[in-house]
């Protein structure tokens, strides 16, 4: 019974490149959340998706960031034209249904922009 | 808006010492409260939770009581072990179907020395 799977675990990108982070939710989970953890800070909510729909993207930066959760396949967090300030740990979480009591986090993807 | 304020770290204790990590919150409405733990290089794991006033969450020897009058949810453990070394995050959620997300504190790094 695999948990939330994120890949890559570590990603290095040069400024201006694109970063794609993938998240496979737990089996049967249709709700996905992305959080960002900047160095020495707590996690900040970015976006909440259900299959094929973005429910709440109030935490997403207005430019360069996008997220999707297609009918088939993992959820993707895409960062275009990365800058040094994008260096952070990106955590995905999933839940079976609405209700925070059922949320499970992945191990995170650490993005370093050089 | 909703916010969580945590005791600043880092905290260093000797094994078997008593632990308290303070957490206070500001929220519109009636939040659920959580403590998450992050071991080095890993994702977040739910440690304990409380969903209403005066509830006590407990797990692995850790406890926290939901105090509405002081808007607090302090984490305590009577006798810490080296294996408790980790970063601890206090968090809240206002359950609002269709718009659920966790608001985290900045985290408290705990180091236990033998």
């Amino acid at each position: 019974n695999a948990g939330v799977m994120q890949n890559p675990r570590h990603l290095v990108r040069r400024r201006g490149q694109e970063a794609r982070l993938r998240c496979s939710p737990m089996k049967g989970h249709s709700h996905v959340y992305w959080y960002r953890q900047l160095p020495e800070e707590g996690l900040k909510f970015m976006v909440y998706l259900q299959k094929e729909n973005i429910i709440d993207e109030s935490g997403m930066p207005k430019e360069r960031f996008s997220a999707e959760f297609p009918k088939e396949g993992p959820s993707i967090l895409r960062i275009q034209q990365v800058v040094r300030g994008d260096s952070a740990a990106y955590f995905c979480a999933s839940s079976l249904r609405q209700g925070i009591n059922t949320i499970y986090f992945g191990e995170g993807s650490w993005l370093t922009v050089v | 808006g909703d916010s969580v304020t945590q005791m600043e770290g880092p905290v260093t204790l000797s094994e078997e010492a008593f632990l308290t990590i303070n957490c206070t919150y500001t929220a519109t409405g009636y939040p659920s409260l959580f403590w998450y733990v992050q071991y080095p290089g890993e994702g977040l794991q739910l440690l304990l939770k409380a969903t209403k006033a005066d509830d006590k969450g407990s797990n692995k020897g850790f406890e926290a009581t939901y105090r509405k009058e002081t808007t607090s949810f302090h984490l305590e453990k009577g006798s810490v072990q080296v294996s408790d070394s980790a970063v601890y995050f206090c968090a809240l959620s206002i359950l609002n179907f269709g718009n659920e997300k966790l608001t985290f504190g900045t985290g408290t790094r705990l180091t236990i020395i033998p």
Side-chain angles (χ1 to χ4, degrees), chain A residues 100-112:
Chain A
I100 291 294
N101 288 343
T102 60
I103 195 170
Y104 298 90
F105 280 85
E107 295 184 340
S109 291
W110 269 259
L111 171 66
T112 302

Side-chain angles (χ1 to χ4, degrees), chain B residues 2 6 12 25 27 50-51 53 63 66 70 73-75 80 82 86 93 98 106-108 111-113:
Chain B
D2 301 335
Q6 264 185 258
T12 302
Y25 66 90
T51 57
E63 293 183 340
Y66 189 144
T70 54
F73 193 54
H74 305 320
L75 182 68
V80 292
V82 172
S93 172
T106 54
T108 301
T111 302
I112 307 300
I113 53 177

Side-chain angles (χ1 to χ4, degrees), chain B residues 38-113:
Chain B
Q38 184 181 26
Y39 297 103
E42 298 185 13
L44 272 70
Q45 299 175 26
L46 178 63
L47 181 60
L48 52 84
K49 64 180 187 287
T51 57
K52 61 182 187 297
D54 299 325
D55 269 2
K56 177 185 283 189
S58 61
N59 186 25
K60 299 181 181 179
F62 290 89
E63 293 183 340
T65 301
Y66 189 144
R67 300 287 187 202
K68 187 179 176 184
E69 63 276 12
T70 54
T71 62
S72 64
F73 193 54
H74 305 320
L75 182 68
E76 296 181 336
K77 186 174 186 182
S79 177
V80 292
Q81 307 300 314
V82 172
S83 58
D84 294 326
S85 298
V87 181
Y88 292 81
F89 292 94
C90 186
L92 68 81
S93 172
I94 304 290
L95 290 182
N96 180 12
F97 285 101
N99 189 21
E100 294 164 355
K101 51 182 177 273
L102 288 160
T103 298
F104 285 89
T106 54
T108 301
R109 183 177 299 277
L110 174 66
T111 302
I112 307 300
I113 53 177

Side-chain angles (χ1 to χ4, degrees), chain A residues 5-8 20-24 34 74-77 92 109:
Chain A
M5 304 300 292
Q6 291 187 245
N7 69 84
R20 283 190 180 225
L21 308 177
R22 289 175 291 278
C23 170
S24 296
W34 284 94
S75 175
I76 306 286
L77 179 68
C92 174
S109 291

